Each structure stands twice: as structure tokens, then as C-alpha cells.
Amino acid sequence: MATYGYNCPHCREVEVTFPIGTAPAEASCPGCGAASARAFSAPTLVRTRAAVSAHVRRAERSASEPEVVTSLPGRRPSGAVALHPATGRLPRP
């Protein structure tokens, strides 16, 4: 579904959703029911960071081809302590 903009004579600008490529030149306003002419505007394009797009591709791929885990992920050794000032006052085991 795509969102198309229409100019209603009473409600100003309204947005209506239609399947892609099926938007009529005029549509009835969802607010008042008046005939509204279609308004053309630039498409909304967004660039995503490489890490985000890689994560999205991996998630989409795992929907049909889940990754198989053969071992547990690595764990931090028990003696390792996070080097953050806020954790310095916490009791140690």
C-alpha cells in the first residue's frame, strides 16, 4: 500500500492509501466526502547506515533460512570486570 496526497477544498491536504499504481486522479475526502484532486510530490527517500541495512538483510534472510547455531557464544572469563566507573563501587563475588 502506498500513501497518496489529495487536496480537499474543505480539509486542505489529506492522505489516502491505495495499492501502488491504482491511485485515481480524484478521490473522496475521508473527512468530509468532497471530491479531492490528487497532489503530486517528491517521494520520501531515506538512506540508512550500512550496519542497519546489513541487520535488516540478515533478519529478512533468516525468515526463510534461519541460521543454525552449533555452539554457545563466547563468554567473558569470570575474573574479567567491566571498565566502567559506575561499576567500580559494586561488590565483587
Side-chain angles (χ1 to χ4, degrees), residues 10-70:
H10 306 290
C11 303
R12 304 277 180 188
E13 297 178 7
V14 293
E15 293 182 344
V16 184
T17 56
F18 291 106
I20 294 176
T22 62
E26 282 192 353
S28 60
C29 174
C32 64
S36 305
R38 184 169 171 195
F40 290 92
S41 61
T44 304
L45 302 175
V46 179
R47 288 187 61 113
T48 57
R49 296 186 317 224
V52 173
S53 62
H55 178 69
V56 169
R57 283 194 304 272
R58 183 178 178 188
E60 289 173 350
R61 189 173 55 241
S62 71
S64 60
E65 302 171 8
E67 293 180 10
V68 178
V69 179
T70 57

